[in-house]
Coordinates of all heavy atoms in Angstrom, one line a residue:
M280 N 173.5 90.6 149.9 CA 172.7 91.7 150.5 C 171.3 91.6 150.0 O 171.0 91.5 148.8 CB 173.4 93.0 150.0 CG 172.8 94.2 150.7 SD 173.5 95.7 150.0 CE 173.6 96.8 151.4
K281 N 170.4 91.7 150.9 CA 169.0 91.7 150.6 C 168.6 93.0 149.9 O 169.1 94.0 150.2 CB 168.2 91.4 151.8 CG 168.2 90.0 152.3 CD 167.1 89.7 153.4 CE 167.5 90.4 154.6 NZ 166.6 90.1 155.7
I282 N 167.6 92.9 149.1 CA 167.2 94.0 148.3 C 166.7 95.1 149.2 O 166.9 96.4 149.0 CB 166.2 93.7 147.2 CG1 166.0 94.9 146.2 CG2 164.9 93.2 147.8 CD1 165.3 94.5 144.9
E283 N 166.1 94.8 150.3 CA 165.5 95.7 151.2 C 166.6 96.5 151.9 O 166.3 97.6 152.5 CB 164.7 95.1 152.3 CG 163.4 94.4 151.8 CD 163.6 93.1 151.2 OE1 164.7 92.5 151.4 OE2 162.7 92.5 150.6
E284 N 167.8 96.0 151.9 CA 168.9 96.7 152.6 C 169.6 97.7 151.7 O 170.5 98.4 152.2 CB 169.9 95.7 153.2 CG 169.3 94.9 154.3 CD 170.1 93.7 154.7 OE1 171.1 93.4 154.0 OE2 169.7 93.0 155.6
R285 N 169.3 97.7 150.5 CA 169.9 98.7 149.6 C 169.4 100.0 149.8 O 168.3 100.2 150.3 CB 169.6 98.3 148.1 CG 170.3 97.0 147.8 CD 170.3 96.8 146.3 NE 170.7 95.4 146.0 CZ 170.5 94.8 144.8 NH1 169.9 95.5 143.8 NH2 170.9 93.6 144.6
E286 N 170.2 101.0 149.3 CA 169.8 102.4 149.5 C 169.5 103.0 148.1 O 170.1 102.6 147.1 CB 170.8 103.2 150.2 CG 170.9 102.7 151.6 CD 171.7 103.8 152.4 OE1 172.7 104.3 151.9 OE2 171.4 104.0 153.6
V287 N 168.6 103.8 148.0 CA 168.3 104.5 146.8 C 168.5 106.0 147.0 O 168.2 106.5 148.0 CB 166.9 104.2 146.2 CG1 166.8 102.8 145.7 CG2 165.9 104.5 147.3
T288 N 169.0 106.7 146.0 CA 169.1 108.2 146.0 C 168.0 108.7 145.1 O 168.0 108.4 143.9 CB 170.5 108.6 145.6 OG1 171.5 108.0 146.5 CG2 170.6 110.1 145.7
I289 N 167.2 109.5 145.7 CA 166.1 110.2 144.9 C 166.6 111.5 144.5 O 166.9 112.4 145.4 CB 164.8 110.2 145.7 CG1 164.5 108.8 146.4 CG2 163.7 110.7 144.9 CD1 164.2 107.7 145.4
L290 N 166.6 111.8 143.2 CA 167.0 113.1 142.7 C 165.7 113.9 142.3 O 164.9 113.4 141.7 CB 167.9 112.9 141.5 CG 168.5 114.2 141.0 CD1 169.5 114.8 141.9 CD2 169.2 113.8 139.7
N291 N 165.7 115.1 142.8 CA 164.4 116.0 142.6 C 164.9 117.3 142.1 O 165.9 117.9 142.4 CB 163.6 116.1 143.9 CG 162.5 115.1 143.9 OD1 161.8 114.9 142.9 ND2 162.1 114.6 145.0
W292 N 163.9 118.0 141.4 CA 164.0 119.4 141.1 C 163.2 120.2 142.0 O 162.1 119.9 142.3 CB 163.5 119.6 139.7 CG 164.2 119.0 138.5 CD1 163.9 117.9 137.9 CD2 165.4 119.5 137.9 NE1 164.9 117.6 137.0 CE2 165.7 118.7 136.9 CE3 166.1 120.7 138.0 CZ2 166.8 118.8 136.1 CZ3 167.2 120.9 137.2 CH2 167.6 120.0 136.3
C293 N 163.8 121.3 142.5 CA 163.1 122.2 143.3 C 162.2 123.1 142.4 O 162.8 123.7 141.5 CB 164.0 123.1 144.2 SG 163.1 124.3 145.0
P294 N 160.9 123.0 142.6 CA 160.1 123.8 141.7 C 160.2 125.3 141.8 O 159.8 126.1 141.0 CB 158.7 123.3 142.0 CG 158.8 122.8 143.4 CD 160.2 122.3 143.6
S295 N 160.8 125.7 142.9 CA 160.9 127.1 143.3 C 162.1 127.7 142.7 O 162.1 128.8 142.1 CB 160.9 127.2 144.8 OG 160.5 128.5 145.1
C296 N 163.3 127.1 142.9 CA 164.6 127.7 142.4 C 165.1 126.9 141.3 O 166.1 127.4 140.7 CB 165.5 127.8 143.6 SG 166.2 126.2 144.2
G297 N 164.6 125.8 140.9 CA 165.1 125.0 139.8 C 166.4 124.2 140.2 O 166.9 123.5 139.3
G298 N 166.8 124.3 141.4 CA 168.0 123.5 141.8 C 167.6 122.1 142.0 O 166.5 121.7 142.1
T299 N 168.7 121.3 142.0 CA 168.5 119.8 142.3 C 168.8 119.5 143.7 O 169.7 120.1 144.3 CB 169.3 118.9 141.4 OG1 170.7 119.3 141.5 CG2 168.9 119.1 139.9
N300 N 168.2 118.5 144.2 CA 168.5 118.0 145.6 C 168.3 116.5 145.6 O 167.6 116.0 144.8 CB 167.6 118.7 146.6 CG 166.2 118.7 146.3 OD1 165.6 117.6 146.3 ND2 165.6 119.8 146.0
E301 N 169.0 115.9 146.5 CA 168.9 114.4 146.5 C 168.8 114.0 148.0 O 169.4 114.5 148.9 CB 170.0 113.8 145.8 CG 171.4 114.2 146.1 CD 172.4 113.5 145.3 OE1 172.4 113.7 144.0 OE2 173.2 112.8 145.8
V302 N 168.1 112.9 148.1 CA 167.9 112.3 149.4 C 168.2 110.8 149.3 O 167.6 110.2 148.4 CB 166.5 112.5 150.0 CG1 166.3 111.9 151.4 CG2 166.1 114.0 150.0
T303 N 169.0 110.3 150.1 CA 169.3 108.9 150.2 C 168.5 108.2 151.2 O 168.6 108.5 152.4 CB 170.8 108.6 150.3 OG1 171.5 109.3 149.2 CG2 171.1 107.1 150.2
I304 N 167.8 107.1 150.8 CA 167.0 106.4 151.8 C 167.1 104.9 151.5 O 167.5 104.5 150.5 CB 165.5 106.8 151.8 CG1 165.0 106.7 150.3 CG2 165.3 108.2 152.3 CD1 163.5 106.8 150.1
S305 N 166.6 104.1 152.4 CA 166.6 102.7 152.2 C 165.5 102.3 151.2 O 164.4 103.0 151.2 CB 166.4 101.9 153.5 OG 165.1 102.0 153.9
L306 N 165.8 101.4 150.4 CA 164.8 100.9 149.4 C 163.5 100.5 150.0 O 162.5 100.7 149.6 CB 165.4 99.8 148.5 CG 164.6 99.3 147.4 CD1 164.3 100.4 146.4 CD2 165.3 98.2 146.6
A307 N 163.7 99.8 151.2 CA 162.4 99.3 151.9 C 161.6 100.5 152.3 O 160.4 100.4 152.1 CB 162.9 98.5 153.2
S308 N 162.2 101.5 152.8 CA 161.4 102.7 153.1 C 160.6 103.3 151.9 O 159.5 103.7 151.9 CB 162.2 103.8 153.8 OG 162.9 103.3 154.9
Y309 N 161.5 103.4 150.9 CA 160.9 104.0 149.6 C 159.7 103.2 149.1 O 158.7 103.8 148.8 CB 162.0 104.1 148.6 CG 161.6 104.7 147.3 CD1 161.4 106.0 147.2 CD2 161.4 103.9 146.2 CE1 160.9 106.6 146.0 CE2 160.9 104.4 145.0 CZ 160.7 105.8 144.9 OH 160.3 106.4 143.7
L310 N 159.9 101.9 149.1 CA 158.8 101.1 148.6 C 157.6 101.1 149.5 O 156.5 101.1 149.0 CB 159.3 99.6 148.4 CG 160.3 99.4 147.3 CD1 160.8 97.9 147.3 CD2 159.8 99.8 145.9
K311 N 157.8 101.2 150.7 CA 156.7 101.3 151.7 C 155.9 102.5 151.4 O 154.6 102.5 151.4 CB 157.2 101.4 153.1 CG 156.6 100.4 154.1 CD 157.0 100.8 155.5 CE 158.1 99.8 156.0 NZ 158.5 100.2 157.4
W312 N 156.6 103.6 151.1 CA 155.9 104.9 150.8 C 155.3 104.9 149.4 O 154.1 105.2 149.3 CB 157.0 106.0 150.9 CG 156.5 107.4 150.5 CD1 155.4 108.0 151.0 CD2 157.1 108.2 149.6 NE1 155.3 109.2 150.4 CE2 156.3 109.3 149.5 CE3 158.2 108.2 148.8 CZ2 156.6 110.5 148.7 CZ3 158.6 109.2 148.0 CH2 157.8 110.4 147.9
Q313 N 156.0 104.4 148.4 CA 155.5 104.6 147.1 C 154.5 103.5 146.7 O 153.6 103.7 146.1 CB 156.8 104.4 146.1 CG 157.5 105.8 145.9 CD 156.7 106.8 145.1 OE1 156.2 106.5 144.0 NE2 156.4 107.9 145.7
R314 N 154.8 102.3 147.1 CA 154.0 101.1 146.6 C 153.0 100.8 147.8 O 151.9 100.4 147.5 CB 154.8 99.9 146.4 CG 155.9 100.1 145.3 CD 155.5 99.4 144.0 NE 156.4 99.7 143.0 CZ 157.4 99.0 142.7 NH1 157.7 97.9 143.3 NH2 158.2 99.3 141.6
G315 N 153.4 101.0 149.0 CA 152.6 100.5 150.1 C 151.5 101.6 150.5 O 150.7 101.2 151.3
G316 N 151.7 102.8 150.0 CA 150.8 103.8 150.4 C 150.9 104.3 151.8 O 150.0 105.0 152.3
E317 N 152.0 104.0 152.4 CA 152.3 104.4 153.8 C 152.6 105.9 153.8 O 153.2 106.4 152.9 CB 153.5 103.7 154.3 CG 153.8 103.8 155.7 CD 153.1 102.8 156.7 OE1 153.4 101.6 156.5 OE2 152.2 103.3 157.4
L318 N 152.1 106.6 154.8 CA 152.4 108.0 154.9 C 154.0 108.1 155.1 O 154.6 107.3 155.8 CB 151.8 108.6 156.2 CG 150.3 108.9 156.0 CD1 149.7 109.4 157.3 CD2 149.9 109.9 154.9
I319 N 154.5 109.2 154.5 CA 156.0 109.3 154.4 C 156.6 109.4 155.8 O 157.6 108.8 156.1 CB 156.4 110.4 153.5 CG1 157.9 110.4 153.2 CG2 156.0 111.8 154.1 CD1 158.3 111.2 152.0
Q320 N 155.9 110.0 156.7 CA 156.4 110.2 158.1 C 156.5 108.8 158.9 O 157.3 108.7 159.7 CB 155.8 111.2 158.9 CG 154.3 111.1 159.1 CD 153.5 111.9 158.0 OE1 153.9 111.8 156.9 NE2 152.5 112.6 158.4
F321 N 155.7 107.8 158.4 CA 155.7 106.5 159.1 C 156.6 105.6 158.3 O 157.3 104.8 158.9 CB 154.4 105.9 159.1 CG 153.4 106.7 160.0 CD1 152.2 107.2 159.5 CD2 153.6 106.9 161.3 CE1 151.3 107.9 160.2 CE2 152.8 107.6 162.1 CZ 151.6 108.1 161.6
A322 N 156.7 105.8 157.0 CA 157.6 105.0 156.2 C 159.1 105.3 156.4 O 160.0 104.5 156.4 CB 157.3 105.1 154.7
M323 N 159.3 106.7 156.7 CA 160.7 107.1 156.9 C 160.8 108.0 158.1 O 161.1 109.2 158.0 CB 161.1 108.0 155.6 CG 160.9 107.2 154.4 SD 161.1 108.2 152.9 CE 160.3 107.2 151.7
P324 N 160.6 107.4 159.3 CA 160.6 108.3 160.5 C 162.0 108.9 160.8 O 162.1 109.8 161.6 CB 160.2 107.2 161.6 CG 160.6 105.9 161.0 CD 160.4 106.1 159.6
D325 N 163.0 108.3 160.2 CA 164.4 108.8 160.5 C 164.7 110.1 159.7 O 165.7 110.8 160.0 CB 165.5 107.8 160.2 CG 165.3 106.6 161.1 OD1 164.7 106.8 162.2 OD2 165.8 105.5 160.8
L326 N 163.9 110.4 158.7 CA 164.3 111.5 157.8 C 163.8 112.8 158.5 O 162.8 112.8 159.3 CB 163.6 111.5 156.5 CG 164.0 110.5 155.5 CD1 163.4 110.8 154.1 CD2 165.5 110.4 155.3
S327 N 164.5 113.9 158.3 CA 164.1 115.2 158.8 C 162.9 115.6 158.0 O 162.7 115.2 156.9 CB 165.2 116.2 158.7 OG 165.5 116.5 157.4
A328 N 162.2 116.6 158.5 CA 161.1 117.2 157.8 C 161.5 117.8 156.5 O 160.8 117.6 155.5 CB 160.4 118.2 158.6
D329 N 162.7 118.4 156.5 CA 163.3 118.9 155.2 C 163.5 117.8 154.2 O 163.1 118.0 153.0 CB 164.6 119.5 155.5 CG 164.5 121.0 156.1 OD1 163.3 121.5 156.1 OD2 165.5 121.5 156.6
E330 N 164.0 116.7 154.6 CA 164.3 115.6 153.7 C 163.0 115.0 153.1 O 162.9 114.7 152.0 CB 165.1 114.5 154.3 CG 166.5 115.0 154.6 CD 167.3 114.1 155.5 OE1 166.8 113.5 156.5 OE2 168.5 113.8 155.2
R331 N 162.0 114.9 154.0 CA 160.7 114.4 153.5 C 160.1 115.4 152.5 O 159.5 114.9 151.5 CB 159.8 114.2 154.7 CG 160.2 113.0 155.6 CD 159.1 112.5 156.4 NE 158.8 113.4 157.5 CZ 159.1 113.2 158.8 NH1 159.8 112.2 159.1 NH2 158.8 114.1 159.7
E332 N 160.2 116.7 152.8 CA 159.7 117.6 151.8 C 160.4 117.5 150.5 O 159.8 117.6 149.4 CB 159.8 119.0 152.4 CG 159.0 120.1 151.7 CD 157.5 119.7 151.7 OE1 157.0 119.2 152.6 OE2 156.9 119.9 150.7
M333 N 161.7 117.3 150.5 CA 162.4 117.2 149.3 C 161.9 116.0 148.5 O 161.9 116.0 147.3 CB 163.9 117.1 149.5 CG 164.5 118.5 149.9 SD 166.3 118.5 149.9 CE 166.7 117.7 151.4
L334 N 161.6 114.9 149.2 CA 161.1 113.7 148.5 C 159.8 113.9 147.9 O 159.5 113.5 146.8 CB 161.1 112.5 149.5 CG 162.4 111.8 149.8 CD1 162.1 110.7 150.8 CD2 162.9 111.1 148.4
M335 N 158.9 114.6 148.7 CA 157.5 114.7 148.2 C 157.4 115.8 147.1 O 156.6 115.5 146.1 CB 156.6 115.0 149.4 CG 156.5 113.9 150.4 SD 155.2 114.3 151.6 CE 156.0 115.5 152.6
T336 N 158.0 116.9 147.3 CA 157.7 118.0 146.3 C 159.0 118.5 145.6 O 158.9 119.2 144.7 CB 157.1 119.1 147.1 OG1 158.0 119.7 148.0 CG2 155.8 118.7 147.9
G337 N 160.1 118.1 146.2 CA 161.4 118.6 145.6 C 161.8 119.9 146.2 O 162.9 120.4 145.9
T338 N 160.9 120.5 146.9 CA 161.3 121.8 147.5 C 162.5 121.8 148.4 O 162.5 121.0 149.4 CB 160.1 122.4 148.2 OG1 159.0 122.5 147.3 CG2 160.3 123.9 148.6
C339 N 163.5 122.6 148.1 CA 164.7 122.5 148.9 C 164.5 123.3 150.2 O 163.7 124.2 150.2 CB 165.9 123.0 148.2 SG 165.9 124.7 147.7
P340 N 165.2 123.1 151.3 CA 165.0 123.7 152.5 C 165.1 125.3 152.4 O 164.2 125.9 153.1 CB 166.2 123.2 153.4 CG 166.4 121.8 152.9 CD 166.2 122.0 151.4
P341 N 166.0 125.8 151.7 CA 166.1 127.3 151.6 C 164.7 127.9 151.0 O 164.2 128.9 151.5 CB 167.2 127.6 150.7 CG 168.1 126.5 150.8 CD 167.2 125.3 151.0
C342 N 164.2 127.3 150.0 CA 162.9 127.7 149.4 C 161.8 127.5 150.3 O 160.9 128.3 150.4 CB 162.7 127.0 148.0 SG 163.9 127.6 146.8
W343 N 161.8 126.4 151.0 CA 160.8 126.1 151.9 C 160.7 127.1 153.0 O 159.7 127.7 153.4 CB 161.0 124.7 152.6 CG 159.9 124.2 153.5 CD1 159.9 124.2 154.8 CD2 158.6 123.7 153.1 NE1 158.8 123.7 155.3 CE2 157.9 123.4 154.3 CE3 158.0 123.5 151.9 CZ2 156.7 122.9 154.2 CZ3 156.7 123.0 151.8 CH2 156.1 122.7 153.0
D344 N 161.9 127.5 153.5 CA 161.9 128.6 154.5 C 161.4 129.9 154.0 O 160.8 130.7 154.7 CB 163.4 128.8 154.9 CG 163.9 127.6 155.9 OD1 163.0 126.9 156.4 OD2 165.1 127.6 156.1
K345 N 161.8 130.1 152.7 CA 161.3 131.4 152.1 C 159.7 131.4 152.0 O 159.1 132.4 152.2 CB 161.8 131.5 150.7 CG 163.0 132.5 150.6 CD 163.5 132.7 149.2 CE 164.9 132.1 149.1 NZ 165.3 131.9 147.6
M346 N 159.2 130.3 151.7 CA 157.7 130.2 151.5 C 157.0 130.2 152.8 O 156.0 130.8 153.0 CB 157.3 129.0 150.8 CG 157.6 129.1 149.3 SD 156.9 127.7 148.4 CE 158.1 126.4 148.7
F347 N 157.6 129.5 153.8 CA 156.9 129.4 155.1 C 157.6 129.9 156.3 O 157.0 129.8 157.4 CB 156.5 127.9 155.3 CG 155.6 127.4 154.2 CD1 156.1 126.5 153.2 CD2 154.3 127.6 154.2 CE1 155.3 126.1 152.2 CE2 153.5 127.2 153.2 CZ 154.0 126.4 152.1
G348 N 158.8 130.3 156.1 CA 159.5 130.8 157.3 C 158.9 132.0 157.9 O 158.3 132.8 157.3
E349 N 159.2 132.2 159.2 CA 158.6 133.3 159.9 C 159.7 134.4 160.1 O 159.4 135.5 160.5 CB 158.0 132.9 161.2 CG 156.8 132.0 161.0 CD 156.3 131.4 162.3 OE1 156.9 131.6 163.3 OE2 155.3 130.7 162.2
D350 N 161.0 134.0 159.9 CA 162.0 135.0 160.3 C 162.8 135.4 159.0 O 164.0 135.6 159.1 CB 163.0 134.3 161.3 CG 163.6 133.0 160.8 OD1 163.0 132.4 159.8 OD2 164.6 132.6 161.4
D351 N 162.1 135.4 157.9 CA 162.8 135.8 156.7 C 162.9 137.3 156.5 O 162.1 138.0 157.1 CB 162.2 135.1 155.4 CG 160.7 135.4 155.3 OD1 160.1 135.7 156.3 OD2 160.2 135.2 154.2
E352 N 163.7 137.7 155.5 CA 163.9 139.1 155.2 C 164.5 139.9 156.3 O 164.0 140.2 157.3 CB 162.5 139.8 154.9 CG 162.2 140.0 153.4 CD 162.6 139.0 152.4 OE1 162.5 137.7 152.6 OE2 163.2 139.5 151.4
Ligands
ZN100 ZN1 164.9 125.6 145.9

C-alpha cells in the first residue's frame, strides 16, 4: 500500500465545549493541506464543512451551530 493511500485520524479538542472529535482523511489530503499550503477546501473537497471546521479549529458541529446558527434557542 502506498503511503498516500493511508488514512489518518485527526483528533481535536473542541475549544468551546471541551469535547473531542475526530475526522478520518487520506494522508495525501492531509499532507497537501498541512505541508503543501493548499486551502483545506481544495485539499479535501470530499469533506463536509463541519468536518473541515473540526480539522481547522476543533469546533464540533453543535458548538458551531450555537455560535453561528440562525435557528438556535
Ligand atoms: Zn463543542
